[in-house]
Amino acid sequence: MNLSIVEYPDRRLKLKSKKIEKFDKSLHRLLDAMYPIMMNTNGIGLAAIQVAHPIQALILNIPEEDGEQPDENLIEMINPIIKSKDGETVYQEGCLSVPSFYEDITRFETISVEYQDRDANLKTMDADGLLSIAIQHEVDHLNGILFIDKLSYGRRKKFEKEHKRMLKEKKNSKK
Ligand SMILES: [Zn+2]
């Protein structure tokens, strides 16, 4: 499966992802193909829509204290629903679909999320710290929301300006 990262301002990132009903080989193949892309681009989370599949699947691998991301830390979430949320935390977020841009985003500190694994088993997870932040970021993707959509008007304007300049530089360097 040949996947590539969908980047802002691609309108597909605004799509609401569909609930997954079939937990079949094609889902497993997609999940298996998403993992190396996330790892090779130094990501900690990736939603299926970021590789052009608008379905409610996401993967996470939160680095340990030493920065390592062992394969066994992979979490796959299908049809996730955030059931409860509490507190407030601010973290400088980035996104594989919005490369080279980082901004402080306010999120809930702790959440409880219900989801299915790749074989449709129902699971519940309580999360805090970076895991909680990453889950909220990825669940936003499934709803067509990017972290830059959460910026204030002024910061968003600043982003649009920087982004335009970046695209121009990219174009020029390709000439
Ligand atoms: Zn993202």
Side-chain angles (χ1 to χ4, degrees), residues 70-119:
D71 291 344
E72 60 264 28
N73 289 0
L74 168 65
I75 300 169
E76 296 173 340
M77 291 188 171
I78 314 298
N79 302 327
I81 299 170
I82 295 174
K83 286 285 180 183
S84 65
K85 41 206 179 188
D86 197 28
E88 202 178 279
T89 185
V90 178
Y91 186 79
Q92 193 178 56
E93 295 187 19
C95 179
L96 295 178
S97 295
V98 193
S100 319
F101 191 75
Y102 303 89
E103 272 282 5
D104 283 350
I105 302 292
T106 305
R107 302 267 184 198
F108 297 105
E109 191 173 16
T110 59
I111 57 167
S112 174
V113 58
E114 213 173 82
Y115 63 98
Q116 285 165 285
D117 67 12
R118 59 161 66 200
D119 299 309

Side-chain angles (χ1 to χ4, degrees), residues 49-63:
I49 185 60
Q50 291 180 274
V51 289
H53 289 258
I55 55 171
Q56 291 181 22
L58 62 88
I59 61 171
L60 302 151
N61 191 335
I62 306 302

